[in-house]
Amino acid sequence: MRSARSPLPLRAEEAPPFCEAAAAAAASAMRPGIKLFVGNVPEEATAEELSELFSGVAGPVLGIALMKQFAFVHLRDEAAAARAITQLNGHQLHGRRIVVEPSRPRPTNTCKIFVGNVSAACTSGELRSLFQQYGTVVECDVVKGWWQREGPKEQQKQL
C-alpha cells in the first residue's frame, strides 16, 4: 500500500529495481577481506589514528570508513580480524572504550541509498526525519569523510 504523499514503495516486494542493481554493484565492488564494526569511537578520533591502532595488532588495514561515533575497518583475513577483536575490544581511545566486533549485514529487504551534497551542518536526525515520510529508515549516517589505503604503493586518499 502506498501513501498518498509517498512516491516510493513501502513494501519489500515493491522495492524499486535500482535497489537490486545497487546491491549487485556493491557486491562486485566490495574490497576483499573482513569488515569489522568499531563502536563508541570518540569524535576526536581520526581514520589515520584508527589505521595505526588496527595495523599494530592485525597487520595491513585495507580501508576505513569513519562515521560519527563508529567506524568500519577492513582487514586482510579472518585471523587478522580475530586478533583485532581480541586485543582491541574494550581498548581505551581518548578516554572511551571502543567496541570491536564483526560487522553484521544490513537487514534483508532494505536498500541503501547515497545522498550527496549534504550540508556539513545537517545531522543524521534531520536526514532521518526527511526520509521517514517515505517509509521506515533502518539506518541513517551523515559521513563527514572517508579514508582508504589502496594498491601496492599503499597510497592514501582522503575524500
Side-chain angles (χ1 to χ4, degrees):
M1 175 180 219
R2 294 176 193 240
S3 163
R5 295 175 49 193
S6 174
L8 298 178
L10 298 179
R11 295 192 322 227
E13 59 271 11
E14 294 179 325
F18 70 82
C19 288
E20 293 170 13
S28 67
M30 280 186 182
R31 56 179 66 75
I34 304 298
K35 182 178 175 182
L36 296 179
F37 169 81
V38 184
N40 203 30
V41 176
E43 288 189 34
E44 59 269 27
T46 65
E48 292 80 8
E49 182 177 23
L50 287 173
S51 179
E52 288 176 22
L53 179 65
F54 277 82
S55 65
V57 299
V61 172
L62 303 178
I64 292 179
L66 177 61
M67 281 59 124
K68 190 174 185 175
Q69 298 185 348
F70 71 96
F72 292 103
V73 175
H74 298 262
L75 299 175
R76 183 166 291 178
D77 55 36
E78 289 192 30
R83 285 192 307 275
I85 292 168
T86 301
Q87 295 180 36
L88 296 177
N89 187 37
H91 177 81
Q92 286 275 343
L93 184 63
H94 298 286
R96 293 177 77 174
R97 290 190 183 278
I98 60 172
V99 174
V100 181
E101 59 188 35
S103 177
R104 293 180 184 83
R106 233 179 20 255
T108 56
N109 298 322
T110 64
C111 181
K112 183 181 251 185
I113 62 171
F114 170 80
V115 180
N117 204 24
V118 175
S119 165
C122 182
T123 67
S124 60
E126 292 169 329
L127 201 56
R128 178 181 293 272
S129 294
L130 179 66
F131 280 87
Q132 198 73 36
Q133 65 181 319
Y134 299 107
T136 302
V137 176
V138 176
E139 179 182 2
C140 180
D141 302 307
V142 177
V143 179
K144 302 293 183 187
W146 192 79
W147 175 90
Q148 73 181 27
R149 182 177 288 193
E150 289 184 353
K153 296 179 185 176
E154 296 189 329
Q155 300 168 332
Q156 294 182 14
K157 184 195 286 184
Q158 177 72 37
L159 300 176

